[in-house]
Amino acid sequence: MKKCKIEVLKTTFHEDLAKQYGCKNLGKCPMHKVGNIFYGDYSKPEGLCDEAWKAMYQYVLAISHGCDKFYYEDWIDQKGIAICSCNDGIRPVIFKIESTNEQSKINYEPIK
């Protein structure tokens, strides 16, 4: 199993939806900035938003186990890459997930 590099490509904000449904003074996601990089595998990287992880973990797991193309090869043209967003419909963050050559290591002691 290899680690995946997770990079924040874009932070977005749908002002029309925020005006209609959002809390007062809502803006772009405060958790992530363009250029933030995380490394993930079987568990959520430290500092990555829980909702973002829920939206991307299946791609991270697939890529970390060697999957290099998704769906019917009609989504991403580059091998070992997925582009996804978090679950926030008002201020979604866009992530690039890509394979690395770094081997994953379990950093905890399993309970026996």
Side-chain angles (χ1 to χ4, degrees), residues 2-28:
K2 307 285 183 168
K3 285 192 177 249
C4 288
K5 179 181 176 183
I6 303 164
E7 180 179 358
V8 176
L9 295 180
K10 187 184 279 191
T11 58
T12 62
F13 181 67
H14 298 288
E15 190 173 345
D16 57 333
L17 296 175
K19 282 181 181 176
Q20 188 170 358
Y21 304 106
C23 296
K24 193 173 188 168
N25 300 319
L26 189 65
K28 286 186 177 184

Short mmCIF file of all heavy atoms in Angstrom, two decimals, residues 2-28:
data_model
loop_
_atom_site.label_atom_id
_atom_site.label_comp_id
_atom_site.label_asym_id
_atom_site.label_seq_id
_atom_site.Cartn_x
_atom_site.Cartn_y
_atom_site.Cartn_z
N LYS A 2 0.57 2.17 -0.88
CA LYS A 2 1.35 3.41 -1.00
C LYS A 2 0.56 4.58 -0.40
O LYS A 2 -0.65 4.55 -0.33
CB LYS A 2 1.62 3.72 -2.47
CG LYS A 2 2.26 2.61 -3.25
CD LYS A 2 3.70 2.48 -2.92
CE LYS A 2 4.29 1.39 -3.81
NZ LYS A 2 5.67 1.32 -3.82
N LYS A 3 1.30 5.60 -0.01
CA LYS A 3 0.64 6.84 0.45
C LYS A 3 0.16 7.62 -0.76
O LYS A 3 0.71 7.50 -1.85
CB LYS A 3 1.62 7.70 1.24
CG LYS A 3 1.89 7.16 2.62
CD LYS A 3 2.62 8.20 3.45
CE LYS A 3 2.80 7.65 4.83
NZ LYS A 3 2.02 8.34 5.81
N CYS A 4 -0.86 8.43 -0.55
CA CYS A 4 -1.36 9.33 -1.58
C CYS A 4 -1.09 10.77 -1.16
O CYS A 4 -1.21 11.11 0.02
CB CYS A 4 -2.86 9.15 -1.76
SG CYS A 4 -3.33 7.64 -2.58
N LYS A 5 -0.74 11.56 -2.13
CA LYS A 5 -0.60 13.00 -1.91
C LYS A 5 -1.95 13.64 -2.17
O LYS A 5 -2.57 13.40 -3.22
CB LYS A 5 0.45 13.57 -2.86
CG LYS A 5 0.66 15.06 -2.73
CD LYS A 5 1.71 15.52 -3.74
CE LYS A 5 1.88 17.02 -3.71
NZ LYS A 5 2.85 17.46 -4.75
N ILE A 6 -2.42 14.43 -1.23
CA ILE A 6 -3.71 15.12 -1.32
C ILE A 6 -3.43 16.61 -1.31
O ILE A 6 -2.91 17.13 -0.32
CB ILE A 6 -4.62 14.73 -0.15
CG1 ILE A 6 -4.83 13.21 -0.11
CG2 ILE A 6 -5.94 15.48 -0.24
CD1 ILE A 6 -5.39 12.70 1.20
N GLU A 7 -3.74 17.29 -2.39
CA GLU A 7 -3.43 18.72 -2.52
C GLU A 7 -4.70 19.53 -2.71
O GLU A 7 -5.57 19.15 -3.50
CB GLU A 7 -2.50 18.94 -3.71
CG GLU A 7 -2.11 20.38 -3.91
CD GLU A 7 -1.17 20.58 -5.09
OE1 GLU A 7 -0.78 19.61 -5.74
OE2 GLU A 7 -0.84 21.75 -5.36
N VAL A 8 -4.80 20.65 -2.02
CA VAL A 8 -5.92 21.57 -2.21
C VAL A 8 -5.65 22.38 -3.48
O VAL A 8 -4.68 23.12 -3.56
CB VAL A 8 -6.10 22.51 -1.00
CG1 VAL A 8 -7.21 23.52 -1.27
CG2 VAL A 8 -6.38 21.73 0.27
N LEU A 9 -6.53 22.20 -4.48
CA LEU A 9 -6.39 22.92 -5.74
C LEU A 9 -7.15 24.23 -5.76
O LEU A 9 -6.72 25.21 -6.36
CB LEU A 9 -6.89 22.06 -6.91
CG LEU A 9 -6.14 20.79 -7.21
CD1 LEU A 9 -6.79 20.08 -8.41
CD2 LEU A 9 -4.68 21.07 -7.49
N LYS A 10 -8.33 24.24 -5.11
CA LYS A 10 -9.20 25.40 -5.20
C LYS A 10 -10.15 25.44 -4.01
O LYS A 10 -10.60 24.40 -3.55
CB LYS A 10 -10.01 25.29 -6.49
CG LYS A 10 -10.85 26.48 -6.84
CD LYS A 10 -11.69 26.22 -8.09
CE LYS A 10 -10.85 26.43 -9.34
NZ LYS A 10 -11.67 26.45 -10.56
N THR A 11 -10.42 26.63 -3.53
CA THR A 11 -11.50 26.82 -2.55
C THR A 11 -12.56 27.67 -3.24
O THR A 11 -12.23 28.64 -3.94
CB THR A 11 -11.00 27.51 -1.27
OG1 THR A 11 -10.43 28.77 -1.60
CG2 THR A 11 -9.95 26.66 -0.56
N THR A 12 -13.81 27.28 -3.09
CA THR A 12 -14.88 27.97 -3.79
C THR A 12 -15.92 28.46 -2.80
O THR A 12 -15.95 28.04 -1.65
CB THR A 12 -15.54 27.06 -4.84
OG1 THR A 12 -16.12 25.94 -4.17
CG2 THR A 12 -14.53 26.58 -5.86
N PHE A 13 -16.77 29.35 -3.27
CA PHE A 13 -17.83 29.89 -2.42
C PHE A 13 -19.00 30.28 -3.31
O PHE A 13 -18.87 31.08 -4.24
CB PHE A 13 -17.31 31.12 -1.66
CG PHE A 13 -18.32 31.74 -0.75
CD1 PHE A 13 -18.79 31.06 0.37
CD2 PHE A 13 -18.81 33.01 -1.01
CE1 PHE A 13 -19.72 31.64 1.21
CE2 PHE A 13 -19.74 33.60 -0.17
CZ PHE A 13 -20.20 32.91 0.94
N HIS A 14 -20.16 29.70 -3.04
CA HIS A 14 -21.37 30.00 -3.80
C HIS A 14 -22.16 31.04 -3.03
O HIS A 14 -22.97 30.72 -2.15
CB HIS A 14 -22.18 28.73 -4.02
CG HIS A 14 -21.46 27.70 -4.83
ND1 HIS A 14 -21.23 27.83 -6.18
CD2 HIS A 14 -20.88 26.54 -4.46
CE1 HIS A 14 -20.56 26.79 -6.62
NE2 HIS A 14 -20.33 25.99 -5.59
N GLU A 15 -21.93 32.30 -3.37
CA GLU A 15 -22.52 33.42 -2.65
C GLU A 15 -24.06 33.38 -2.68
O GLU A 15 -24.72 33.66 -1.68
CB GLU A 15 -22.02 34.74 -3.22
CG GLU A 15 -22.40 35.94 -2.39
CD GLU A 15 -21.75 37.22 -2.87
OE1 GLU A 15 -20.79 37.16 -3.66
OE2 GLU A 15 -22.21 38.28 -2.43
N ASP A 16 -24.63 32.98 -3.81
CA ASP A 16 -26.09 32.93 -3.92
C ASP A 16 -26.68 31.92 -2.93
O ASP A 16 -27.68 32.19 -2.26
CB ASP A 16 -26.52 32.60 -5.35
CG ASP A 16 -25.93 31.29 -5.87
OD1 ASP A 16 -24.85 30.87 -5.41
OD2 ASP A 16 -26.57 30.68 -6.75
N LEU A 17 -26.05 30.77 -2.78
CA LEU A 17 -26.52 29.76 -1.83
C LEU A 17 -26.29 30.21 -0.39
O LEU A 17 -27.11 29.96 0.49
CB LEU A 17 -25.84 28.43 -2.08
CG LEU A 17 -26.15 27.78 -3.43
CD1 LEU A 17 -25.30 26.52 -3.61
CD2 LEU A 17 -27.62 27.47 -3.56
N ALA A 18 -25.16 30.87 -0.17
CA ALA A 18 -24.86 31.37 1.18
C ALA A 18 -25.89 32.42 1.61
O ALA A 18 -26.35 32.41 2.76
CB ALA A 18 -23.46 31.96 1.22
N LYS A 19 -26.27 33.30 0.70
CA LYS A 19 -27.27 34.32 1.03
C LYS A 19 -28.61 33.70 1.36
O LYS A 19 -29.32 34.16 2.25
CB LYS A 19 -27.42 35.31 -0.13
CG LYS A 19 -26.31 36.32 -0.22
CD LYS A 19 -26.53 37.27 -1.38
CE LYS A 19 -25.38 38.26 -1.46
NZ LYS A 19 -25.50 39.14 -2.63
N GLN A 20 -28.96 32.65 0.65
CA GLN A 20 -30.26 32.03 0.85
C GLN A 20 -30.29 31.07 2.04
O GLN A 20 -31.27 31.01 2.77
CB GLN A 20 -30.67 31.27 -0.41
CG GLN A 20 -32.08 30.76 -0.36
CD GLN A 20 -32.55 30.21 -1.70
OE1 GLN A 20 -31.83 30.24 -2.68
NE2 GLN A 20 -33.77 29.71 -1.72
N TYR A 21 -29.18 30.34 2.28
CA TYR A 21 -29.21 29.27 3.28
C TYR A 21 -28.13 29.36 4.36
O TYR A 21 -28.25 28.71 5.40
CB TYR A 21 -29.04 27.90 2.60
CG TYR A 21 -30.06 27.64 1.54
CD1 TYR A 21 -29.72 27.70 0.20
CD2 TYR A 21 -31.37 27.33 1.88
CE1 TYR A 21 -30.66 27.43 -0.79
CE2 TYR A 21 -32.32 27.07 0.89
CZ TYR A 21 -31.95 27.13 -0.44
OH TYR A 21 -32.89 26.88 -1.40
N GLY A 22 -27.09 30.10 4.12
CA GLY A 22 -25.94 30.08 5.01
C GLY A 22 -26.08 30.95 6.25
O GLY A 22 -26.95 31.81 6.35
N CYS A 23 -25.18 30.69 7.19
CA CYS A 23 -25.09 31.50 8.40
C CYS A 23 -24.56 32.89 8.05
O CYS A 23 -23.88 33.07 7.04
CB CYS A 23 -24.13 30.85 9.41
SG CYS A 23 -24.69 29.25 9.99
N LYS A 24 -24.83 33.83 8.90
CA LYS A 24 -24.34 35.20 8.72
C LYS A 24 -22.80 35.19 8.68
O LYS A 24 -22.16 34.47 9.44
CB LYS A 24 -24.84 36.08 9.86
CG LYS A 24 -24.68 37.54 9.63
CD LYS A 24 -25.35 38.33 10.73
CE LYS A 24 -25.34 39.79 10.35
NZ LYS A 24 -26.21 40.57 11.21
N ASN A 25 -22.23 35.98 7.79
CA ASN A 25 -20.78 36.15 7.65
C ASN A 25 -20.06 34.88 7.18
O ASN A 25 -18.86 34.73 7.40
CB ASN A 25 -20.15 36.65 8.95
CG ASN A 25 -20.71 37.99 9.36
OD1 ASN A 25 -20.92 38.87 8.51
ND2 ASN A 25 -20.99 38.15 10.64
N LEU A 26 -20.77 33.98 6.53
CA LEU A 26 -20.14 32.78 5.98
C LEU A 26 -19.27 33.15 4.80
O LEU A 26 -19.63 34.01 4.00
CB LEU A 26 -21.23 31.78 5.54
CG LEU A 26 -20.79 30.40 5.15
CD1 LEU A 26 -20.20 29.66 6.36
CD2 LEU A 26 -21.96 29.60 4.59
N GLY A 27 -18.11 32.53 4.71
CA GLY A 27 -17.19 32.77 3.59
C GLY A 27 -16.58 31.45 3.15
O GLY A 27 -17.11 30.38 3.47
N LYS A 28 -15.49 31.52 2.42
CA LYS A 28 -14.81 30.30 1.98
C LYS A 28 -14.41 29.46 3.19
O LYS A 28 -14.27 29.97 4.30
CB LYS A 28 -13.57 30.65 1.16
CG LYS A 28 -13.88 31.16 -0.22
CD LYS A 28 -12.60 31.35 -1.02
CE LYS A 28 -12.93 31.79 -2.43
NZ LYS A 28 -11.74 31.90 -3.25
#
